[in-house]
Structures are given as C-alpha cells and as structure tokens.
Amino acid sequence: MSNVIDVTRPTPHVARVWLNRPDVRNAFNDDVIAALTATFEGLARDEDLRVVVLGAHGKAFCAGADLNWMKTMAGYDWDQNRADAQKLADMLWTLDQCPVPVIGRIQGDCYAGGMGLAAICDVLVAVEGATFCLSEARLGLLPATISPYVARAMGAQASRRYMVTAERFSAARAHALGFVHELTSAEALDEKVDELVRTLVANGPKASRECKRLVRDVVGVPITEALRAETARRIADVRASDEGREGLQSFLNKRAPAWLPAD
C-alpha cells in the first residue's frame, strides 16, 4: 500500500484511514486516488467492520488537487482529461458506497476535492477553525466530479452560491448549512470522534449497514404504494433476523446485546 495514505485497525470493528501527505496539505494526485480506491474496496468486503474514520495528518484536511499533478494535467488533451477525471469520479463513488458508516474528521482546511471527501461522510466532525471552499471557479474550472455529493450534503441553494462564488466559508457556516454535523475545539476533536465510534460500534452491525442503505434508497423517491411495501418488507426482514431478535430480547431483558464488544 502506498504511503500517501495511512490505514490502521485499532479493533476488528474500526478502521482509520488517514490522508498522509501533510507537506502538500494532503492534496490529491494519482497515487492518492488509487490508494483510496483500493483501500475502500477492501474495507467494503470486510464483514467485521462497523465504522470507518476518514481523517488526515498535518494541519490541513485536504487542499484539493496537487500542484504538480495540475501542471501535468495542463498538457492533457480532452481524452486524457476525461480518463483522469473518471478515476476521481470512480474513487468518490467507491467511498460513497462504503457499506458501513464513515465519520469524517476535519482538523483543518477542506478545499475543492477535499469537499468531495467530506461530503461522502455519514457523520462529519470539524474543528471550529477549519475553513471550507469550493475553489474551482477561481481557476476557470468547476467542481464537477464532487458536485453530486456536495450538493446532496449541503443542499442546492448553498451549493449554487459557493460553487459559483468560490468563497471561503467557516466551519460555523458549514455547520449552519448542515454540511458539518458536529463542531469542536481542536483539543476535543478526537474525543468527539471516539464517542461517535463507540456509539456506532454499539449498534446492531447489520442494522447500521441497512440504515445507511435505506437512506440512500428512499431519499427523493415518491412515497408510492411500491415504496411503502418495500419499507414494510425491509423492517419485517430485520425483525425476523437473528440480529433483530437478539436486539429486541436484549432490550426487553435489560441486558447487553450479543454484538456489543467486550471491554
């Protein structure tokens, strides 16, 4: 595995994936895209996994595209640009499709492609001093590959403003927009992330995966008879499952469920 990212497994249920190019503010290049894609493809196949924390070493979360990579792209023709952009689009899709919850740990500035990474997270925690920016328009570009995820996470109106203006905005503004879920001091960041990790690990592992899939499948879908039937089928499947039965029995009997890790 390339050292552009750092992957640790503190327990079988938890993975921590770190962007590891602090000297260039964790900017993207081909190596980062390939490493993140391969890592999340592997994590998606891990049945023991319950939560992923996505973070970054250094002062910035992600500054967008690497300068040297951008210099290379400046000489690309249309076909080369298309192929290059497809790799980034496919990486974002791979991360977004991660079957377990992903917690984003934003310890510093989050720009351009970094906004795409932040947007795929199910729970986003940011330090109060972080700055966000969809900066592409300043360079005569556009945030095309990240746009589906950013617009979904931030909403259409906020996306329209910050994509067309390329303004920087604060973590407090990102929180007010609903893009960031939790704001913390730098000193409390890891405590808050660890608290969320414990919360997620304590939930039914299959239920957590199904909840994530449920949101994806129902948002924006008309509430038709077919959708009502599908949601009824899903809850029936879960209630009748071993995990569902164990969860209900543990609640009724006031005991810890079997899936809860031992201390």
Side-chain angles (χ1 to χ4, degrees):
M1 176 62 63
S2 171
N3 62 6
V4 297
I5 65 168
D6 176 25
V7 182
T8 60
R9 293 296 294 266
T11 76
H13 302 313
V14 180
R16 295 180 182 267
V17 180
W18 303 88
L19 300 176
N20 191 33
R21 305 182 75 220
D23 53 322
V24 291
R25 297 171 59 82
N26 294 305
F28 278 113
N29 63 11
D30 286 329
D31 291 339
V32 175
I33 292 170
L36 282 173
T37 302
T39 295
F40 273 82
E41 286 175 344
L43 293 174
R45 296 189 293 268
D46 189 333
E47 293 298 325
D48 289 331
L49 189 64
R50 300 188 190 179
V51 58
V52 177
V53 178
L54 179 60
H57 295 311
K59 294 182 179 181
F61 175 71
C62 179
D66 179 88
L67 181 61
N68 289 324
W69 187 42
M70 292 176 70
K71 288 177 181 178
T72 301
M73 288 188 292
Y76 284 180
D77 60 21
W78 188 93
D79 289 328
Q80 290 171 312
N81 270 296
R82 174 67 171 76
D84 185 78
Q86 189 66 53
K87 292 177 184 177
L88 179 56
D90 291 345
M91 181 208 74
L92 291 165
W93 171 256
T94 300
L95 270 60
D96 187 62
Q97 294 299 302
C98 181
V100 302
V102 178
I103 300 172
R105 177 189 181 276
I106 310 298
Q107 91 293 6
D109 292 340
C110 180
Y111 292 174
M115 287 281 292
L117 285 180
I120 64 91
C121 296
D122 301 288
V123 185
L124 198 61
V125 185
V127 298
E128 294 159 340
T131 302
F132 296 81
C133 187
L134 292 158
S135 55
E136 286 85 351
R138 291 183 193 168
L139 305 179
L141 304 174
L142 73 163
T145 55
I146 68 172
S147 62
Y149 311 101
V150 172
R152 182 185 65 190
M154 199 160 68
Q157 284 298 96
S159 297
R160 288 169 69 170
R161 171 178 176 172
Y162 290 110
M163 285 185 187
V164 300
T165 64
E167 296 170 282
R168 294 182 179 89
F169 56 101
S170 67
R173 171 65 68 180
H175 184 252
L177 294 171
F179 186 76
V180 167
H181 298 104
E182 296 281 349
L183 279 181
T184 77
S185 66
E187 295 76 17
L189 176 61
D190 286 320
E191 180 181 352
K192 173 54 69 174
V193 170
D194 290 345
E195 175 190 321
L196 288 164
V197 167
R198 290 191 297 270
T199 297
L200 288 164
V201 169
N203 292 339
K206 292 181 181 177
S208 287
R209 291 173 178 242
E210 288 300 315
C211 283
K212 180 167 179 172
R213 188 163 69 94
L214 179 66
V215 173
R216 182 182 296 123
D217 290 348
V218 302
V219 169
V221 177
I223 305 174
T224 61
E225 182 179 355
L227 181 63
R228 299 197 303 273
E230 172 63 14
T231 56
R233 181 196 65 77
R234 290 193 187 192
I235 186 59
D237 287 347
V238 171
R239 286 175 180 169
S241 70
D242 291 342
E243 181 175 292
R245 292 181 189 277
E246 167 62 15
L248 183 58
Q249 287 302 313
S250 66
F251 175 75
L252 294 175
N253 294 318
K254 299 181 179 180
R255 60 171 174 79
W259 64 73
L260 196 65
D263 293 334

